[in-house]
Amino acid sequence: MDENKQHEKRIQDAREKFDQNLTDFKRKKIIEIPCFRSTFMTSIPVGLVLGLFSYLATSKVKLASNIAMGSYLIVSGGYFAHCRYEFNKQVAQNKELGDIMNLIIKYRGTELEQQFQMKYKEKLEEIDSKSKYV
């Protein structure tokens, strides 16, 4: 009997969490999604250009529109996936640096502070060496 109540409680919690996530999703503005704008600002022109060139090359409207939509969808999917991967990687790096900074503050005035400062500097140098903008 006790297992049945626990099972019902877990189902109820899952439903509440799903409803909360759905409500949050409905409230979120689409432009606030990371990488959304840059994805569509890249994929729309690519689809238009490829569709236009395929029409000029073949003079077949259906083929050109299929090429335009296909290239748009492929570029959108690929660009969004790559952008989100880079975004999540940067978020993880920032979290790791923040954790190290919190340890530096926590152990201020001790020998551990120097070790964490060295670790912080090494991590920054590692991130800078991997950066494509440096």
Side-chain angles (χ1 to χ4, degrees):
M1 200 64 165
D2 190 39
E3 285 182 28
N4 194 17
K5 287 183 180 179
Q6 288 178 350
H7 183 68
E8 289 177 12
K9 173 80 170 133
R10 279 186 272 157
I11 290 174
Q12 182 65 26
D13 290 344
R15 284 184 183 147
E16 289 173 3
K17 187 174 182 179
F18 177 79
D19 290 341
Q20 181 63 37
N21 288 342
L22 185 61
T23 304
D24 291 345
F25 179 74
K26 287 179 181 177
R27 287 184 189 158
K28 190 172 213 174
K29 293 178 184 167
I30 210 161
I31 199 71
E32 293 174 357
I33 298 171
C35 301
F36 184 83
R37 184 178 185 275
S38 62
T39 296
F40 286 100
M41 294 301 285
T42 302
S43 60
I44 290 172
V46 168
L48 286 172
V49 168
L50 288 177
L52 178 66
F53 282 137
S54 63
Y55 176 72
L56 292 174
T58 64
S59 296
K60 296 179 181 177
V61 176
K62 186 172 185 336
L63 176 65
S65 62
N66 286 342
I67 289 174
M69 280 305 295
S71 61
Y72 165 76
L73 292 173
I74 289 170
V75 170
S76 292
Y79 192 91
F80 188 76
H82 175 70
C83 184
R84 283 305 297 237
Y85 171 75
E86 292 294 327
F87 178 79
N88 290 336
K89 191 166 69 169
Q90 188 176 16
V91 166
Q93 287 174 346
N94 290 343
K95 184 182 180 320
E96 188 175 355
L97 288 175
D99 291 343
I100 295 172
M101 289 172 64
N102 286 337
L103 290 171
I104 291 171
I105 292 169
K106 182 178 180 180
Y107 293 108
R108 180 154 295 185
T110 65
E111 293 177 12
L112 289 175
E113 178 187 10
Q114 297 297 324
Q115 293 174 359
F116 287 128
Q117 284 179 349
M118 290 299 295
K119 185 175 179 182
Y120 182 78
K121 289 178 184 175
E122 290 170 3
K123 193 67 179 170
L124 275 178
E125 289 173 5
E126 177 186 331
I127 291 171
D128 286 343
S129 68
K130 291 180 182 177
S131 176
K132 55 186 168 186
Y133 300 112
V134 175

